[in-house]
Amino acid sequence: MLFFADVFLGSVKIPIKEVLGAFFSDNSDFPEYTTIVLQFRLPKALTALFAGFALAVSGLQMQTIFKNPLAGPYVLGISSGASLGVAIVVLGVSSLGIFNYLGILSNWVIVLAAWFGSGLILLLIFAVSTRVKDIMTILILGMMFGSATTALVGILQYFSNETMLKAFIIWTMGSLGGVSITQLYVLIPSILFGLLIAFLSVKMLNALLLGENYAKSMGLNIRLSRFLIFFSTSLLAGTITAFCGPIGFIGIAVPHLARMVFKTANHSVLLPGSMIIGGIVLLFSDIVSQLPGKESSLPINSITALVGIPIVIWIIVKKQRFSSIS
Amino acid sequence: MVESNQILEIQNLEIGYPVSKSTFFSLFSGINLSASKGELIAIVGKNGVGKSTLLRSIAGLQHSKKGQVTINNKLIGDYSRSEFAGLVSFVSTEIIQVNNLRVFDLVALGRFPHTNWFGKLEEKDINAVNKALKMVGMERFAHKNINEISDGERQRVMIARTLAQDTQVIILDEPTAFLDLPNKYEIVHLLNNLAKTENLPDGKVGKTIIFSTHDLNIAIQEADKIWLMLSDGITEGAPEDLILNETFNHLFDHTNLNFDKIKGDFRMKRKHSKKIGLLGDGIYYTWTKKALERLNFSVDKGNDTIPHVTIEEGFWSYKSDENSFQVNSIYELASRL
């Protein structure tokens, strides 16, 4: 399966190079070309690929555990937690002048703030999930946490100045291009670790297809499965949100695409399937966001929605029904 | 039953569910029951009496307030999660609707306690799934999606899943709900066969199958034992014993239902206001009588001194002091009376 992913990564990388080659054809400065490919294009493509993996897999896990076709990576409130972390740094602390003193807002600070925010939400979810038996209660609480943090972010936005507000809004639009090679050394292992846990939970996810009662009657350790699945989802979605901002749509739509393509409910197929499709869709979205040929690319969040929504509508209209899992 | 054949014992169990941290809503208490290997046991009782809660308590899905449930002389709470899953399997009333889930894969989920961490199906697991599908007569449906089969077929598949789980005890919550009459009979008959013929993991014959149902006449025909949950206590016994000692009559106290000891089923108590005579015999007599009783007549066989109906060759004639007429069908007779 990873072979497949590699092939697709290659096939997608080539048009990027071609676009690049065409763009720089009159520029004979070869080292600059290599620098751009290695320092900018390659990390961006890798980020897109891994973000696609991560968001699709975490979305699939959430749809299965909550038995809800509309669940996605962010239903637990992870992106809201990350937003709150970033908002506190960008809007709150920096308006006090601490980071202005450093000149620019460090990318790392934003990443750490987002991670911290989503980690906090994760801890809350864990605390709740050991006490609450009903999985739907957890879903509702997750959404409540999310709404509460969004409200806090709103207050922060209200009191911040225009420059900071714009910096924050741009973060919420998502970006694959802001990740440096150094950051990839953190991003890729985190995602791989999250994916590893997800692959270890395949059997549990399959059992959960029938609901928690059946899963329990077949000997599933509900607490352990919740811990692993929530931890994996938070690591995957939290990391991507930290580095790229909240990228929407992929997490909800791709698992459905995978179900349609592979015509199975078995997670040992669906999980790698969602991963591959997620990678493809996000790489494709990234290419689309480059097409205008401008120096700055379009916000990836808008592209994933604009690319993905027609696909989903086409599927609904053609199949007459959306793949429901509940 | 020989003592060593006993597998399940319930002692002084109190079932219910927690309302809040400190209070427990008690549904039923003082439950003392037992089950032996190879027995098909039907739980019968009114809606809301606690049949499902009892089943879920035995299946280890719900905590009970006090008392104990032992299987093979060991408290169910003392079994490890996977040991217990190898001992008791469960089918709930929920209808499983998962798109793209094939019948084979659903049944294979029953192998959960027997497979490794990744749930990889070995040859013995695949054989067990195929055997389970064959036992319920669903082997031809293995590659269908569960959303494409009928309710009766789906219930068979759910039973096949418990067979693949290979447990000594199978618990089913209302397996005959939503089914048409032939399917109800077939499913319960299938359970009876499985209880009698299926091999246990320990090599002995006979699974213990416990199910709840509202189809009393089917339960009476197929079950070895009935756990009758009445509002004032629970009674167990062979269905025939419960009929003969009139325990069934108490099931629907305070309603308009009467238990018919001969037919083994409940029927509405009727207020017969008018008397009518009926002359004739055979099957025509039986059904004409039923029709007249439905119209609240009290039927007096062979009495032609009161208004009466005579069954003739192919038609019915009615005669009273006021009028008389002939009709060609019971429907017509009913509308004229």
Side-chain angles (χ1 to χ4, degrees):
Chain A
M1 283 301 173
L2 275 169
F3 257 97
F4 256 97
D6 270 333
V7 171
F8 277 108
L9 172 63
S11 74
V12 172
K13 280 281 290 168
I14 293 164
I16 290 177
K17 279 182 184 169
E18 279 172 3
V19 168
L20 214 74
F23 198 67
F24 287 89
S25 56
D26 53 343
N27 193 337
S28 56
D29 201 352
F30 204 73
E32 208 174 284
Y33 170 90
T34 342
T35 311
I36 285 167
V37 168
L38 288 181
Q39 299 287 321
F40 182 65
R41 299 290 177 185
L42 182 67
K44 194 174 175 188
L46 279 172
T47 308
L49 186 69
F50 277 89
F53 288 173
L55 294 172
V57 167
S58 53
L60 176 69
Q61 294 187 104
M62 290 299 98
Q63 290 179 1
T64 298
I65 198 168
F66 290 120
K67 285 174 74 64
N68 189 332
L70 290 177
Y74 304 134
V75 284
L76 293 176
I78 287 158
S79 71
S80 312
S83 307
L84 181 64
V86 173
I88 288 173
V89 169
V90 176
L91 307 174
V93 182
S94 59
S95 53
L96 297 176
I98 297 169
F99 291 104
N100 288 347
Y101 168 75
L102 292 172
I104 48 155
L105 278 174
S106 163
N107 210 342
W108 274 111
V109 172
I110 291 184
V111 167
L112 288 176
W115 237 348
F116 186 74
S118 52
L120 206 67
I121 293 289
L122 175 66
L123 284 179
L124 268 172
I125 294 288
F126 278 153
V128 167
S129 74
T130 51
R131 284 178 184 79
V132 175
K133 277 205 182 125
D134 184 26
I135 192 78
M136 288 307 149
T137 314
I138 298 178
L139 179 61
I140 293 165
L141 287 173
M143 293 171 78
M144 292 298 120
F145 292 154
S147 302
T149 44
T150 309
L152 289 175
V153 170
I155 293 173
L156 283 171
Q157 282 178 318
Y158 184 77
F159 286 109
S160 56
N161 67 43
E162 271 177 39
T163 330
M164 293 304 164
L165 201 58
K166 196 185 175 200
F168 179 72
I169 300 279
I170 284 174
W171 178 83
T172 63
M173 286 176 172
S175 156
L176 297 169
V179 183
S180 70
I181 285 192
T182 338
Q183 287 175 333
L184 275 181
Y185 286 119
V186 177
L187 185 144
I188 292 178
S190 307
I191 298 301
L192 286 178
F193 187 54
L195 291 175
L196 177 73
I197 299 172
F199 275 97
L200 289 177
S201 334
V202 158
K203 186 184 177 184
M204 299 176 174
L205 287 164
N206 279 337
L208 284 168
L209 276 178
L210 302 186
E212 287 203 342
N213 269 332
Y214 274 116
K216 208 176 158 192
S217 83
M218 293 187 288
L220 177 73
N221 185 337
I222 298 287
R223 278 189 188 175
L224 178 70
S225 66
R226 278 187 192 171
F227 176 82
L228 287 179
I229 291 166
F230 288 161
F231 183 70
S232 162
T233 291
S234 305
L235 189 60
L236 294 171
T239 304
I240 294 306
T241 310
F243 285 101
C244 314
I247 297 175
F249 197 75
I250 301 273
I252 296 173
V254 168
H256 292 294
L257 285 175
R259 285 188 198 97
M260 303 243 162
V261 170
F262 297 99
K263 293 194 172 50
T264 179
N266 188 342
H267 287 80
S268 58
V269 177
L270 275 188
L271 209 128
S274 299
M275 219 178 97
I276 291 165
I277 296 177
I280 293 169
V281 171
L282 205 48
L283 280 172
F284 183 67
S285 304
D286 185 40
I287 296 165
V288 172
S289 74
Q290 302 292 328
L291 281 185
K294 289 179 184 166
E295 271 185 31
S296 62
S297 52
L298 292 171
I300 193 71
N301 234 342
S302 314
I303 301 298
T304 53
L306 289 177
V307 166
I309 287 168
I311 298 176
V312 171
I313 290 175
W314 176 71
I315 289 167
I316 296 171
V317 172
K318 198 173 168 236
K319 296 276 265 188
Q320 295 297 320
R321 59 174 186 182
F322 206 64
S323 171
S324 90
I325 61 150
S326 55
Chain B
M1 279 293 151
V2 187
E3 192 60 35
S4 66
N5 248 349
Q6 180 165 313
I7 181 163
L8 172 77
E9 191 171 25
I10 300 171
Q11 284 175 324
N12 197 26
L13 191 71
E14 180 171 356
I15 56 171
Y17 46 87
V19 181
S20 67
K21 275 220 165 84
S22 53
T23 53
F24 187 89
F25 179 77
S26 183
L27 261 174
F28 217 99
S29 59
I31 303 172
N32 291 291
L33 297 164
S34 67
S36 298
K37 287 174 186 166
E39 276 186 338
L40 176 65
I41 296 174
I43 303 188
V44 175
K46 280 198 276 194
N47 278 333
V49 76
K51 298 188 295 294
S52 295
T53 313
L54 176 59
L55 286 174
R56 292 167 51 81
S57 302
I58 301 170
L61 293 172
Q62 199 157 346
H63 291 291
S64 36
K65 195 183 180 191
K66 71 176 194 210
Q68 52 191 35
V69 181
T70 53
I71 292 178
N72 287 335
N73 296 319
K74 190 171 167 183
L75 283 174
I76 57 169
D78 290 348
Y79 284 100
S80 78
R81 210 175 264 111
S82 55
E83 270 179 336
F84 193 70
L87 200 61
V88 179
S89 51
F90 181 70
V91 176
S92 79
T93 47
E94 311 167 51
I95 291 180
I96 299 294
Q97 280 186 320
V98 184
N99 266 4
N100 298 325
L101 182 61
R102 291 184 315 150
V103 165
F104 184 92
D105 290 335
L106 175 63
V107 176
L109 287 176
R111 297 302 295 168
F112 190 95
H114 307 285
T115 55
N116 66 8
W117 181 276
F118 296 97
K120 185 171 169 7
L121 296 174
E122 308 284 345
E123 201 183 330
K124 68 173 167 58
D125 300 308
I126 293 169
N127 289 340
V129 173
N130 285 327
K131 189 183 158 209
L133 280 169
K134 204 167 178 183
M135 280 193 285
V136 299
M138 289 294 293
E139 67 269 39
R140 286 181 300 115
F141 292 78
H143 296 286
K144 283 215 165 189
N145 277 351
I146 58 155
N147 283 356
E148 296 166 359
I149 60 177
S150 74
D151 286 343
E153 288 159 354
R154 185 180 352 216
Q155 202 56 263
R156 279 164 206 275
V157 171
M158 293 312 285
I159 293 168
R161 192 191 54 89
T162 68
L163 294 174
Q165 201 171 331
D166 202 11
T167 57
Q168 295 186 32
V169 180
I170 300 176
I171 293 173
L172 306 101
D173 196 355
E174 296 202 24
T176 56
F178 317 116
L179 301 185
D180 60 20
L181 203 55
N183 267 308
K184 281 179 199 277
Y185 275 95
E186 280 170 22
I187 290 287
V188 181
H189 188 66
L190 171 70
L191 293 176
N192 184 325
N193 275 345
L194 293 172
K196 295 288 172 296
T197 58
E198 189 41 31
N199 289 311
L200 295 179
D202 63 8
K204 288 186 184 156
V205 169
K207 283 178 188 286
T208 306
I209 302 179
I210 305 170
F211 72 106
S212 61
T213 185
H214 289 291
D215 297 301
L216 192 62
N217 45 357
I218 302 177
I220 287 172
Q221 287 177 42
E222 299 283 347
D224 298 298
K225 198 188 229 181
I226 288 194
W227 292 352
L228 182 63
M229 290 179 93
L230 301 172
S231 42
D232 57 348
I234 192 162
T235 321
E236 62 175 340
E240 296 78 10
D241 288 333
L242 297 180
I243 293 172
L244 293 173
N245 64 27
E246 309 213 323
T247 322
F248 275 130
N249 283 335
H250 302 298
L251 183 56
F252 296 118
D253 277 349
H254 319 297
T255 66
N256 284 326
L257 286 172
N258 249 345
F259 190 74
D260 185 327
K261 266 206 248 182
I262 309 296
K263 300 209 171 61
D265 203 356
F266 283 90
R267 44 195 61 246
M268 290 299 290
K269 290 175 195 162
R270 297 201 179 274
K271 295 186 201 88
H272 300 301
S273 47
K274 300 157 278 184
K275 284 192 99 177
I276 194 164
L278 181 59
L279 288 81
D281 49 27
I283 191 142
Y284 277 88
Y285 176 84
T286 313
W287 288 103
T288 311
K289 180 172 183 260
K290 273 187 194 282
L292 292 171
E293 282 174 347
R294 189 176 70 230
L295 297 166
N296 290 336
F297 284 107
S298 163
V299 176
D300 192 355
K301 185 173 185 178
N303 189 348
D304 58 359
T305 58
I306 51 170
H308 61 277
V309 174
T310 312
I311 301 166
E312 320 265 4
E313 286 276 318
F315 61 91
W316 287 257
S317 62
Y318 174 82
K319 198 171 180 341
S320 72
D321 294 344
E322 292 87 39
N323 64 347
S324 63
F325 54 82
Q326 283 188 357
V327 292
N328 293 319
S329 69
I330 292 179
Y331 184 79
E332 221 177 314
L333 174 69
S335 50
R336 294 285 292 270
L337 283 172

